[in-house]
Amino acid sequence: MKKVLVTGGSGKLGRAVLRDLVAHGYDVLNVDNQTLSEPICPSVRIDLTNFGEVASAILGGVDERGGPFDAVVHLAAIPAPGLAANARTFANNVPTTYNVFEACRLAKIKNVVFASSETVLGLPFDSPPPYAPVDEEYFPRPESAYSLGKLLDETMAAQFCRWDPELRIVGLRFSNVMYPEDYAAFPGFDSDPKKRKWNLWGYIDARDGAQAVRRSLQADFKGFEAFIIANADSVMTRSNTSLLAEVFPNVPQKGNISTNGTLLSIEKAKRMLGYSPQYSWRNEVGK
């Protein structure tokens, strides 16, 4: 059984990640600045901006919640732009990621997964994307303090992996995280496509986001890789052809675009991680 330390497991995506890892036989410790609202796994409160606390937890555990850990999943952060002052978001998120990466280096942990963000792709796309569907091939275009921090997280990950050829760090560019109870609002999106144009009408079911984390832990490559993680479909019933013609008429279309398929390409995650979304809002509404 693998022992995994998860930061930020008390959050929206984090709870799904904890449940998925425990269900698949992992021995999981959650560390966060808040307690879990349900007893999924052991949980310890630590200040992730304090390197001493982070290093202590990753190197040796916390009392009976001990290590050593085989892998670390880093999800903890102020989770979106606009929730706190820009400087506060940046000063919390970037040092926290450094603390986790550096503590993993000291602990000789070679398997790290962290939450990057779809925002590095250029969200909210006030400047149109270079093409659609978007993918990992163009250089990130952060448009907020939050997304700038995520780009710096990815840059740090690449350099940590350059220092250690045996290290694997996976950055998951999660789309907008949803639970089944969120899907009741989805049919209303069709009335105004501009309401959801900010992420090309994408989303990620928290359960599929958790699957992506688990598959990243099981990956067999070395070095740093970033992956867009979205569901296989859009949040709209209107066709992609109609949406792009109305909202992004001058954006080149790349490859075959299906009627309601995601415009946040998940082809790299499918190819390298074996990621395969299992859920869709279309099967949840009306249950």
Side-chain angles (χ1 to χ4, degrees):
M1 183 181 292
K2 296 287 187 181
K3 294 195 73 170
V4 181
L5 182 143
V6 177
T7 78
S10 306
K12 188 173 186 179
L13 175 63
R15 295 191 303 275
V17 169
L18 296 181
R19 283 192 289 266
D20 182 86
L21 291 176
V22 169
H24 285 84
Y26 288 85
D27 183 358
V28 184
L29 174 66
N30 172 50
V31 297
D32 207 338
N33 63 0
Q34 56 186 324
T35 55
L36 274 169
S37 59
E38 51 188 306
I40 304 170
C41 69
S43 185
V44 174
R45 294 185 66 176
I46 72 169
D47 178 3
L48 288 153
T49 65
N50 183 309
F51 179 71
E53 292 191 23
V54 175
S56 176
I58 290 176
L59 283 161
V62 180
D63 288 338
E64 69 270 22
R65 313 300 191 194
F69 299 98
D70 301 296
V72 169
V73 176
H74 175 46
L75 306 176
I78 294 173
L83 299 180
N86 289 348
R88 180 180 174 188
T89 297
F90 190 92
N92 179 86
N93 290 2
V94 178
T96 293
T97 300
Y98 172 80
N99 288 347
V100 170
F101 288 175
E102 176 65 3
C104 287
R105 185 184 70 82
L106 295 175
K108 296 182 170 51
I109 293 172
K110 308 295 184 180
N111 191 358
V112 181
V113 179
F114 75 97
S116 186
S117 169
E118 64 181 356
T119 60
V120 303
L121 298 167
L123 275 62
F125 291 126
D126 292 332
S127 296
Y131 48 79
V134 294
D135 56 25
E136 299 88 351
E137 296 303 313
Y138 66 92
F139 195 78
R141 300 177 172 190
E143 301 289 353
S144 65
Y146 171 82
S147 57
L148 178 62
K150 291 298 185 181
L151 174 56
L152 293 180
D153 290 349
E154 291 188 3
T155 303
M156 281 194 292
Q159 296 305 313
F160 270 86
C161 288
R162 182 178 64 84
W163 295 345
D164 182 358
E166 294 303 310
L167 175 62
R168 177 176 67 251
I169 303 183
V170 176
L172 299 177
R173 296 175 176 178
F174 289 110
S175 188
N176 188 201
V177 178
M178 298 289 181
Y179 271 83
E181 55 265 32
D182 297 318
Y183 294 141
F186 279 36
F189 294 152
D190 276 353
S191 62
D192 182 2
K194 292 182 179 178
K195 285 183 179 179
R196 292 285 308 188
K197 67 92 179 173
W198 53 269
N199 75 339
L200 294 182
W201 308 282
Y203 74 108
I204 179 65
D205 187 290
R207 295 165 293 184
D208 281 322
Q211 178 210 149
V213 170
R214 173 169 41 85
R215 291 188 180 276
S216 298
L217 290 172
Q218 298 166 348
D220 61 2
F221 58 84
K222 302 296 184 184
F224 168 69
E225 294 286 348
F227 299 91
I228 295 171
I229 302 298
N231 273 80
D233 59 341
S234 74
V235 304
M236 309 291 280
T237 60
R238 286 182 56 178
S239 72
N240 284 325
T241 300
S242 168
L243 294 169
L244 290 170
E246 179 176 342
V247 182
F248 295 112
N250 299 317
V251 170
Q253 297 182 23
K254 184 178 180 180
N256 294 322
I257 295 179
S258 63
T259 302
N260 296 119
T262 180
L263 294 174
L264 302 171
S265 175
I266 55 175
E267 293 306 309
K268 181 181 178 184
K270 288 181 177 180
R271 183 177 71 254
M272 293 187 65
L273 301 177
Y275 171 64
S276 178
Q278 301 299 302
Y279 300 94
S280 170
W281 71 272
R282 297 164 209 278
N283 300 325
E284 299 284 348
V285 173
K287 276 190 176 181

